């Protein structure tokens, strides 16, 4: 995505519209951003939602290398097909990864557009996300990205997000996930398993949350078990009830994870 187009999209998301002002939403605004967990909420039939990661940066260091990763324009489009099911289309429009050999000073840089992701989320209980809410989400990823960063073939996964109210203020969410992903050497496929558990609470115009994310990637060449502790903050503008600005800060809990990661983004429903 070229910079002028990205700026135009941001302006569209931030600006009030006559349609948004005249039609009261049937359900509370609910975004997938920020955090790694998957919400249970479903868009009302016929409603659109645009979620955009403005910037995300991460650094991971070990004894031999340092890897810096930047993303911009991490775009997710959501559309309510029915009152229980929504369609999702995701694409990272710009990605750059730089790996530094700490011994020699050599640098390896890769970048470009990311892969295209298509998904469906279907509510099994309480599609507005209230009370005890359960959904099932499935997705496939097509290897459409730049040569150095795209996957070696189609990948996919299934998520079972659950949201549980703890009391009038606090809620608990869990998102178990099973994926089928490419081997590191490009020769086959293997399973990967993820669990995200988080708590959250609202404070007026702000919603704050904390998550623990752990994943097991059974790659036959180099299996890993990354894990992070994540903090999120969401601000809902009082004049834009169908929008949010969000922030995320993640800390790696082991050597398989980025040391630190920071992101900021926004979302808007139409």
């Amino acid at each position: 995505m070229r910079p002028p187009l990205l700026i135009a999209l941001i302006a569209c998301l931030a600006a009030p519209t006559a349609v948004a002002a005249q039609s009261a939403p049937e359900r509370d605004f609910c975004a997938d951003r920020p955090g790694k967990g998957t919400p249970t909420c479903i868009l009302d039939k016929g409603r659109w939602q645009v979620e955009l990661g403005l910037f995300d940066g991460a650094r991971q260091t070990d004894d031999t290398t340092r890897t810096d990763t930047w993303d911009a324009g991490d775009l997710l489009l959501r559309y309510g097909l029915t009152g229980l099911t929504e369609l999702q289309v995701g694409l990272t429009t710009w990605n750059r990864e730089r790996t530094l050999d700490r011994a020699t000073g050599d640098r390896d840089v890769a970048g470009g557009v990311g892969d295209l992701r298509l998904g469906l989320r279907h509510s099994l209980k309480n599609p507005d996300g209230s009370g005890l809410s359960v959904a099932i989400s499935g997705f496939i990823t097509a290897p459409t990205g730049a040569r150095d960063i795209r996957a070696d073939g189609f990948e996919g996964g299934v998520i079972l997000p659950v949201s549980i109210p703890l009391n009038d203020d606090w809620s608990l969410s869990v998102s178990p996930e099973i994926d089928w992903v490419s081997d590191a050497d490009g020769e086959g496929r293997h399973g990967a398993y993820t669990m995200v558990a988080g708590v959250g609470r609202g404070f007026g115009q702000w919603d704050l949350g904390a998550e623990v994310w752990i994943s097991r990637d059974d790659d036959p060449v180099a299996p890993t078990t990354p894990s992070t502790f994540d903090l999120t903050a969401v601000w809902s503008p009082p004049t834009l009830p169908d929008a949010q600005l969000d922030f995320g800060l993640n800390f790696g809990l082991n050597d398989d994870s980025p040391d630190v990661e920071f992101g900021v983004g926004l979302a808007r429903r139409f």
Side-chain angles (χ1 to χ4, degrees):
M1 181 178 292
R2 297 180 178 179
L5 295 179
L6 180 58
I7 293 173
L9 178 57
I10 295 172
C12 178
L13 294 178
T17 65
V19 173
Q22 292 174 0
S23 58
E26 297 178 7
R27 296 172 182 167
D28 290 340
F29 180 79
C30 177
D32 277 37
R33 298 187 51 85
K36 298 185 179 76
T38 299
T40 57
C41 54
I42 306 295
L43 286 176
D44 291 296
K45 181 180 179 180
R47 299 298 297 269
W48 285 93
Q49 190 155 305
V50 181
E51 306 186 15
L52 182 66
L54 301 177
F55 173 80
D56 185 277
R59 168 167 290 184
Q60 184 171 356
T61 304
D62 58 28
D63 294 337
T64 59
T65 62
R66 186 184 76 201
T67 301
D68 297 308
T69 306
W70 301 273
D71 295 332
D74 188 3
L75 180 65
L76 176 65
L77 302 177
R78 299 168 56 192
Y79 178 72
L81 295 174
T82 71
L84 297 176
T85 306
E86 68 175 50
L87 172 68
Q88 301 181 343
V89 180
L91 179 70
T92 300
T93 59
W94 182 82
N95 176 281
R96 186 172 187 266
E97 181 177 293
R98 182 183 66 186
T99 302
L100 170 69
D101 188 310
R102 302 179 66 186
T104 65
D106 293 338
R107 289 176 170 84
D108 183 20
V109 179
V113 177
D115 290 339
L116 179 67
R117 174 167 163 161
L118 303 175
L120 289 172
R121 184 155 71 222
H122 179 77
S123 175
L124 302 177
K125 183 177 178 63
N126 288 338
D128 61 355
S130 64
L132 174 61
S133 182
V134 184
I136 186 169
S137 180
F139 66 89
I140 59 171
T141 302
T144 58
R147 181 181 299 274
D148 293 335
I149 62 174
R150 69 187 180 201
D152 291 313
F154 283 85
E155 300 179 342
V158 178
I159 312 170
L160 187 69
V162 179
S163 177
I164 306 168
L166 299 179
N167 54 36
D168 292 340
D169 298 319
W170 293 90
S171 62
L172 170 68
S173 61
V174 293
S175 299
E177 177 177 348
I178 300 176
D179 298 334
W180 191 243
V181 298
S182 303
D183 294 348
D185 59 8
E187 297 298 325
R189 300 288 186 274
H190 64 273
Y193 316 95
T194 299
M195 173 62 78
V196 186
V199 293
R201 180 179 176 177
F203 296 88
Q205 299 174 15
W206 288 89
D207 288 287
L208 305 181
E211 293 179 340
V212 174
W213 171 83
I214 183 169
S215 182
R216 174 63 182 180
D217 188 330
D218 283 335
D219 191 292
V221 177
T224 58
T225 309
S227 181
T228 62
F229 174 68
D230 307 337
L231 300 174
T232 61
V234 174
W235 176 60
S236 302
T239 57
L240 289 175
D242 287 337
Q244 73 173 39
L245 178 66
D246 57 73
F247 309 88
L249 181 61
N250 309 335
F251 301 95
L253 298 179
N254 58 24
D255 292 338
D256 290 336
S257 315
D259 304 324
V260 65
E261 182 176 6
F262 173 77
V264 59
L266 50 83
R268 179 71 190 272
R269 178 171 59 181
F270 298 92

